[in-house]
Amino acid sequence: MTTIAIFALTRNGVELAARLAATLPAIIWLPERFAALAPGGRCYTNLNAAVQIAWQQNRAIILIAATGIAVRLIAPLLQVKTDDPAVICLDEQGHVVVPLIGGHRAGANALARQIAALTGGQAAITTASDGQGLPALDLIGQAQGWRIATDSATTHVMACLVNGDPIGVWVDPDLPAVRALLGAELAPAAAIEWVADPEELTNPRFAAAIVVSHRHLDPLWPKLRDKGLRYLPPVLVIGIGCRRNVPVHELAAAVSTTLANADLTPECVAAIATADLKADEAGISDLARQLGVPLTIVTTAQLQTLAPTAFSPSAAGRFDIPGVAEPCATLVAQGPLLVPKQRFARCTVAVALQQATFGSDPTPTGQLTLVSIGPGDLAHLTEAARLALIKAEVITGYARYIDLIRPLLRPDQEVIATPAMGDEMGRARHAIELARSGRRVALISSGDIGIYAMAAPVFENLQASGWNGRHPKVEVIPGVSAFQALAARIGAPINHDLCLISLSDLLTPWPLIERRLRAAAQADFVVALYNPRSQGRNWQLVTALSILRDHRPATTPVVFGRQVSREDEQITITTLADADPQQADMLTLVLIGNSQSFHLTGHVVTPRGYTTQPVRPSDFLMSNKATDYPIVITKPAHMPAVVIGGGAVGERKVRGLLAAGIPVRLISPTATDQLMAWAQEGRLIWERRTYRSGDLTGARLVFAATNDRAVNALIAASAIAAGALCNVADAPDEGDFHVPAIYRSGGITITVSSAGTAPGRAVALRDAIADWLDSIGVHNHER
C-alpha cells in the first residue's frame, strides 16, 4: 500500500508533485487532462471522492492547493487524531508548506520539513510546542512502543506544558530506564516537578500530572485522569508453559487472571515467551496475535545455561531444563521475575519486568549538540540549529560566535564563551564533560561545524576517552559554510568540482599543504582557501597564488570575502594576475575559479562543464603540412598535458614536458622508477590505472605512449574529438605534432627531428651524438 498520496489540481501542481514523488514514497493523483505529465499517476474526475479513497489508504495526504480548498476537502473526513492521516497543504511553488492535521502523532510536521527541504520552501509549523522547543507529549516513547491511556487528558496537559503551568511527574520506581528516557525528553520544560509519592499529584498546585507505571494505580488514577496523562510502556514479558493443545481462550483467561491479581495492566505487555518445546502450540501463537505482541521462542540450549534452583520446581525437569514459564520470561525480559509461576488447570504463567528496552540505561546522560550557526547572519541559521539552541541548557563556543547568536539566547541559559581562538581540544573536552554530567550542551561554531571547526576535536576526544556512543549523546547540526555564503553573494563560482584547502600550518605541515595546492591547481579545481593570512603567517597566501598562477590563465577570477553576511562584510572581485595577498586576513576566504570561470557584471560564474571545441585547421595548413617556422610556448602552464603510458617512452615524454614547465597527468597502471619518483615529489599527478573514456577532458596536449596499438589509436581519435593536440608514439601520422629527439649538455641543447616521418632515425642520430660526447669525456648530458 502506498504510504503518501499527493493531490495536484493544476499543471504547475502536477510538475511539483512529480518532483516530490521522485523522492517520497508517494503516488500522484491528478486531473485526467494532465495524465501525460505524470505517467503512473492516478487520474480523478471527482476530487472529493478521490480524497476519500486516499484517506482510507494512506498515512499522509499532500494537497498542492489553496488552504481553503484543502480544509473543505478534509473537514467531513476528520474523526480522531489517533486515526486520521497527516494532511499537508502547499502552494504550487513549494514556498510555504503547512501541516494541517496530524502534526505530531501522524508525522505531519516532520513530513512538512522534509518537503520544504526538497522545494527550498519554509515549513509553517504552528504547533506551539515546536515553536518553543518543547517535546510533543504524544510522541514521547512512541518509538519504544509506549501507549497513552485512552482516558488521558492529553490536550490539557500539552496546553499546560506550553503555557508553563506547574506539572507534576511520577514514574514507577521499578522503571529506571523509563525514568531516564522521560527525563531527557522533558528536560526543556521549565515547569516540571518530579515527585516521589504519586499521591502528591492530587495537590491542586499541579495544573497537570504525568504518570508512568505498569500497574493499574487504582484508586489514584481516577482522581488524576481529568488533568493527567498516563504512559503505558511495554515492560512486561509473560512466560507461558502448557500441556498439548490448550485453546487460546483458556490461555488468555489465565494471563488475564495473573495480571489482575498482580495489579498489572495488559497494555504494558511487551512479549509472550515460551520454550522451543512449545513452539508449535497454536494456542500460544494465537494469544500473542490476540494481544498484538511478538512471540519469542527460547531454545533448550539457552534454558540449560540456567540453574534450576533459581526457579520454582517444574515438571519440565524431565526435559533437562529448569522450567518454562519463569526462566523463559526472565531470559526474554533480561530483568527480574515480577510474578512467580502461577499454576492453572493446564498451563503455567509467570511475568518478568523488562527494564533495559529503550536503547539506554538508567545512568544519567546528557546531550552534546554540535551546532553550526552559519556565516553570521541569523537569517542563514537553519531551523534545526535554532531548535538545538532553544533546547540547550549550556551554550559554549568562541566569544565572537556567541555574540552572533546572543539575540536568540534566554536569561536562564548558561553561556561559556572562550575569549580567544585556539585550544580546540580543550574546548571540546570541556563541552564533553558538561554533557557527561547530565546537562544539555550546545557547542557552536560558525559556518559548518564539520568544516575546519569543532566537530573533529570533539570526536577525537570521544575516541580517546573510550566513548560508548551513549554517554553523552552527540548530534551534529549542519550549517551554511563560508564558501557557500561567499559563492551565493557573487553568483555561481563553485558550480563545478571544488577543493577546500586551509593555509594554516598549525596542524598540517606546510609541505603537505603545498603538495595539495599543486595537485588542486593541476586538476583544475575551483579552490577555496581558508585561514589565508595572519600576522604570523604572511607568506603562505603569496606562495599559494604563485602556484595557481602556474596553472591558470591570468584572467581567472579571484574573490576575497571578508566577514561574509556580517555587518562589516567586504567582498573584492579581482583576477589571478592582480590578486593582492594584503587584502586577506584570518576572517577572509579566498575563492579562485578554475580555467573555465569568468566574470559577469560583478559576478563570477563557473560553468557546469568544459566547453573545449575541436579546432579545424585552416586550408593553408592543410595544404602545407610541413613548415620550418619555429613556435615557442611562452605560457606552458596553460597547456596541461596527459601522458598515457608509463614505460620508457612515456618517461621521455614526461621528462621533456616537465623541463618545459608543462603540467603533467600520467595515466598508466605501471610506471618507471623515475616516473614514480617524480609523482612522489609532486611534480606530476599519477593515476595508477588503464586509460578510459573521459581522461582527456581539459587537456591541451595528449601523448599516446602505451605498448598497445589499438589503445593508442583510440587515444588519438579521442584527442581529435576533444580538440586537443596529440602525439602518437608508434604512429606519428595519426597525431597532430611530433617531438624531436633531444640532447642536453651543460648549456647546450641539440634537437634531432625527422618531422615525424622516421622517429627511429632521429633517436639513432641523437644517441650517436651522445656516444661521441661520451668518447671525448663529456658525461654531463641528458637524452
Side-chain angles (χ1 to χ4, degrees):
M1 182 179 70
T2 305
T3 57
I4 301 175
I6 306 177
F7 283 87
L9 281 63
T10 65
R11 179 183 296 276
N12 289 340
V14 172
E15 292 175 352
L16 176 56
R19 287 170 50 201
L20 296 177
T23 301
L24 303 174
I27 189 168
I28 301 172
W29 290 74
L30 69 163
E32 286 186 354
R33 65 182 182 277
F34 300 134
L37 298 178
R42 298 181 64 176
C43 296
Y44 64 79
T45 54
N46 184 306
L47 180 59
N48 281 300
V51 172
Q52 289 176 25
I53 294 172
W55 193 271
Q56 301 300 322
Q57 296 180 346
N58 299 276
R59 71 169 178 85
I61 294 175
I62 301 170
L63 293 159
I64 304 176
T67 52
I69 294 174
V71 169
R72 290 184 178 88
L73 282 169
I74 68 172
L77 305 175
L78 295 173
Q79 296 176 10
V80 293
K81 65 184 296 183
T82 54
D83 298 331
D84 291 336
V87 178
I88 293 168
C89 179
L90 67 156
D91 63 290
E92 292 180 343
Q93 288 73 40
H95 291 162
V96 180
V97 186
V98 183
L100 294 178
I101 64 168
H104 291 152
R105 183 170 289 271
N109 287 355
L111 182 57
R113 292 188 178 100
Q114 184 180 2
I115 293 171
L118 294 173
T119 64
Q122 179 70 39
I125 308 298
T126 57
T127 43
S129 59
D130 290 85
Q132 297 182 34
L134 297 172
L137 295 181
D138 51 355
L139 293 185
I140 291 178
Q142 187 180 71
Q144 291 77 25
W146 294 15
R147 299 180 184 179
I148 294 177
T150 55
D151 55 352
S152 293
T154 308
T155 302
H156 168 76
V157 179
M158 192 70 225
C160 291
L161 182 71
V162 171
N163 293 330
D165 298 329
I167 300 175
V169 183
W170 177 80
V171 177
D172 194 302
D174 285 345
L175 306 176
V178 172
R179 169 68 169 78
L181 189 151
L182 185 62
E185 292 285 354
L186 295 178
I192 293 294
E193 181 179 334
W194 296 82
V195 300
D197 183 354
E199 288 290 341
E200 292 184 51
L201 299 177
T202 61
N203 192 315
R205 70 188 179 87
F206 290 120
I210 296 175
V211 176
V212 190
S213 179
H214 52 299
R215 306 183 187 279
H216 279 296
L217 297 181
D218 288 332
L220 175 64
W221 177 244
K223 300 176 188 176
L224 294 175
R225 60 189 171 199
D226 288 342
K227 69 172 186 178
L229 168 63
R230 183 177 182 185
Y231 291 112
L232 302 167
V235 293
L236 304 177
V237 175
I238 298 176
I240 295 182
C242 67
R243 296 180 183 177
R244 284 295 176 190
N245 301 317
V246 178
V248 64
H249 65 83
E250 188 174 334
L251 297 175
V255 168
S256 179
T257 299
T258 301
L259 293 175
N261 290 343
D263 194 33
L264 301 174
T265 60
E267 293 90 341
C268 289
V269 174
I272 301 293
T274 193
D276 54 6
L277 298 172
K278 303 297 179 181
D280 59 348
E281 284 294 328
I284 297 178
S285 299
D286 291 343
L287 176 63
R289 282 192 290 271
Q290 194 176 93
L291 294 176
V293 298
L295 171 61
T296 302
I297 304 298
V298 181
T299 67
T300 297
Q302 289 175 294
L303 291 170
Q304 288 174 340
T305 63
L306 304 177
T309 55
F311 305 99
S312 303
S314 173
R318 67 181 185 274
F319 299 110
D320 198 24
I321 58 176
V324 176
E326 287 182 353
C328 286
T330 55
L331 273 174
V332 172
Q334 292 293 295
L337 193 64
L338 199 60
V339 180
K341 180 169 62 179
Q342 305 296 298
R343 299 179 184 274
F344 295 88
R346 295 196 292 173
C347 68
T348 57
V349 178
V351 183
L353 185 63
Q354 195 173 33
Q355 291 186 325
T357 311
F358 308 112
S360 62
D361 56 45
T363 305
T365 183
Q367 171 81 32
L368 175 56
T369 306
L370 309 183
V371 183
S372 306
I373 66 172
D377 187 339
L378 292 182
H380 293 156
L381 192 70
T382 67
E383 182 180 2
R386 286 180 185 272
L387 289 176
L389 293 174
I390 289 173
K391 292 179 179 179
E393 295 176 282
V394 182
I395 313 290
T396 182
Y398 177 38
R400 184 187 296 271
Y401 303 153
I402 293 286
D403 290 342
L404 294 174
I405 62 163
R406 200 168 290 279
L408 303 178
L409 303 184
R410 303 188 308 272
D412 63 294
Q413 291 177 306
E414 181 181 353
V415 177
I416 302 174
T418 305
M421 293 288 277
D423 193 24
E424 285 85 356
M425 298 300 282
R427 195 181 312 158
R429 277 194 297 273
H430 188 208
I432 293 169
E433 290 166 3
L434 288 169
R436 281 186 168 145
S437 71
R439 309 189 74 181
R440 300 185 310 280
V441 181
L443 174 61
I444 68 168
S445 190
S446 69
D448 187 296
I449 200 164
I451 301 177
Y452 300 124
M454 289 301 300
V458 166
F459 283 100
E460 289 175 43
N461 269 285
L462 290 170
Q463 180 192 39
S465 65
W467 183 51
N468 61 6
R470 298 189 304 277
H471 304 307
K473 297 177 182 177
V474 179
E475 181 181 8
V476 181
I477 307 296
V480 178
S481 189
F483 75 88
Q484 294 171 294
L486 178 58
R489 281 282 195 264
I490 59 172
I494 58 173
N495 214 33
H496 207 285
D497 296 337
L498 171 73
C499 183
L500 309 181
I501 299 177
S502 170
L503 296 188
S504 172
D505 56 0
L506 296 176
L507 299 175
T508 306
W510 176 253
L512 180 57
I513 296 173
E514 187 169 349
R515 181 177 173 184
R516 290 173 175 172
L517 283 166
R518 293 189 185 282
Q522 291 179 347
D524 204 28
F525 282 111
V526 174
V527 179
L529 299 178
Y530 279 71
N531 306 315
R533 190 171 180 272
S534 67
Q535 289 184 348
R537 295 185 301 102
N538 55 15
W539 57 267
Q540 284 90 339
L541 181 57
V542 176
T543 303
L545 291 175
S546 176
I547 291 171
L548 288 160
R549 287 182 180 119
D550 287 342
H551 298 83
R552 307 273 162 97
T555 56
T556 299
V558 175
V559 183
F560 292 84
R562 187 179 189 278
Q563 297 280 63
V564 177
S565 87
R566 303 179 192 177
E567 290 184 359
D568 53 348
E569 174 184 281
Q570 297 176 8
I571 296 178
T572 303
I573 300 176
T574 182
T575 65
L576 195 52
D578 297 331
D580 181 4
Q582 297 288 337
Q583 293 179 289
D585 59 13
M586 285 294 288
L587 301 178
T588 304
L589 180 80
V590 182
L591 199 60
I592 301 99
N594 70 11
S595 64
Q596 306 292 301
S597 303
F598 59 86
H599 294 87
L600 180 66
T601 61
H603 296 78
V604 174
V605 179
T606 298
R608 291 185 62 183
Y610 282 71
T611 57
T612 302
Q613 299 295 326
V615 179
R616 182 184 181 278
S618 67
D619 293 339
F620 174 81
L621 287 177
M622 291 295 291
S623 60
N624 296 272
K625 293 185 178 180
T627 176
D628 60 359
Y629 192 85
I631 296 177
V632 178
I633 299 175
T634 57
K635 294 184 179 180
H638 299 168
M639 298 290 289
V642 174
V643 177
I644 299 100
V649 176
E651 179 184 322
R652 289 199 297 269
K653 307 295 185 185
V654 171
R655 186 187 302 276
L657 292 168
L658 294 179
I662 293 176
V664 177
R665 183 159 59 102
L666 173 66
I667 297 172
S668 178
T670 60
T672 65
D673 292 344
Q674 181 61 73
L675 288 170
M676 287 191 287
W678 285 333
Q680 290 173 354
E681 294 168 7
R683 298 184 64 188
L684 60 86
I685 296 174
W686 177 24
E687 298 183 21
R688 193 175 305 190
R689 57 176 175 79
T690 58
Y691 169 77
R692 61 187 178 217
S693 177
D695 279 342
L696 308 186
T697 300
R700 302 291 182 88
L701 302 177
V702 175
F703 292 81
T706 76
N707 56 7
D708 190 323
R709 172 84 283 276
V711 172
N712 287 346
L714 177 62
I715 294 168
S718 299
I720 292 172
L725 299 175
C726 185
N727 171 264
V728 185
D730 61 349
D733 289 343
E734 288 183 2
D736 304 294
F737 68 98
H738 312 290
V739 178
I742 299 175
Y743 155 78
R744 297 183 182 87
S745 180
I748 302 172
T749 299
I750 299 174
T751 63
V752 181
S753 173
S754 63
T757 58
R761 289 174 57 192
V763 171
L765 182 55
R766 187 274 316 274
D767 290 344
I769 295 173
D771 292 341
W772 174 71
L773 289 173
D774 278 338
S775 68
I776 63 173
V778 180
H779 303 293
N780 183 27
H781 59 267
E782 180 183 279
R783 333 180 176 190

